[in-house]
Amino acid sequence: MNIFKTIGEDIQAVKERDPAAQNSFVIWLTYPGLHARWSHVVEHWLWNHGLRSLARVSSQFTRWMTGVEIHPAAQIGRRFFIDHAMGVIIGETTVIGDDCTLYQGVTLGGTGKETGKRHPTLGNNVLVGVGASVLGNITLGDNAKVGGGAVVVSDVPPNSTVVGIPGHIVVRDGQRVAADAQAAAKHQESLPDPMEEVCENLCERIEALERQIERLEKERGRQAAAPAEVRHD
């Protein structure tokens, strides 16, 4: 455990990822996400060296001070950054790679009362947006992105972007998975919502059916108004 090296790397990571970051002293003093991360380094060491009760007590104190709950057993890589921090929860068997970023309100949790590995694994350079939940023993591949408010319950391939509830892959390896033409027309270059597209398609279908019904009713009205054919025996 080299806490001083970790502090230096984490401060540099903040400077690179947060446009509002100031000098190193202000970052060290005012970023609760970093405070929670640095406390976890110590708590993880305590956990691995048999001082588990002390590690849990310390993690609860860290939660009270920073608003971030990280289980001491969670494995976190280098240059980890929690932006704005408040409300973040990281479960016991979570594994996080290097250069990952979480925003406020993120949950890396379980889905029930499973035993063993029951929390997510994040690869390197993964970004999880505001209020997103990544649940269960699933894997987010390297360079994956999770949109704000998404609920992810299945594996995400590397270099993919996921949005929605439940999470849908909308970009993979730089290419949109949804209809490119429709997205371009709406200028949704970053995080399109596939559920919105489904709702729009349904609305268009309903309007088409209503027009068809209107035409049929008019034809029926014309037929009813036409004089009956006179029959001569």
Side-chain angles (χ1 to χ4, degrees), residues 54-168:
L54 181 59
R56 287 293 287 128
V57 170
S58 177
S59 68
Q60 288 302 109
F61 179 76
T62 300
R63 176 189 181 188
W64 178 67
M65 289 293 294
T66 66
V68 177
E69 180 177 340
I70 308 177
H71 194 284
Q75 302 176 43
I76 299 178
R78 299 168 61 182
R79 298 175 295 278
F80 177 60
F81 178 36
I82 307 175
D83 198 1
H84 298 290
M86 184 63 67
V88 171
I89 300 174
I90 300 176
E92 178 182 5
T93 59
T94 300
V95 178
I96 299 176
D98 297 336
D99 302 299
C100 291
T101 302
L102 309 183
Y103 287 87
Q104 67 267 29
V106 167
T107 297
L108 305 180
T111 57
K113 297 183 179 180
E114 302 94 339
T115 58
K117 183 73 169 72
R118 60 190 186 280
H119 297 101
T121 296
L122 277 59
N124 298 324
N125 197 36
V126 173
L127 184 147
V128 184
V130 176
S133 298
V134 184
L135 306 176
N137 181 19
I138 62 176
T139 299
L140 275 59
D142 294 348
N143 307 308
K145 296 180 180 179
V146 178
V151 178
V152 184
V153 293
S154 57
D155 291 343
V156 177
N159 308 306
S160 299
T161 299
V162 177
V163 301
I165 303 174
H168 298 271

Side-chain angles (χ1 to χ4, degrees), residues 4 32 36 51 53-54 86 103 105 111 132 135 166 186 192 205 214 221 230:
F4 299 106
L51 301 173
S53 296
L54 181 59
M86 184 63 67
Y103 287 87
T111 57
L135 306 176
K186 295 189 292 184
R205 179 59 177 164
E214 185 178 357
V230 179

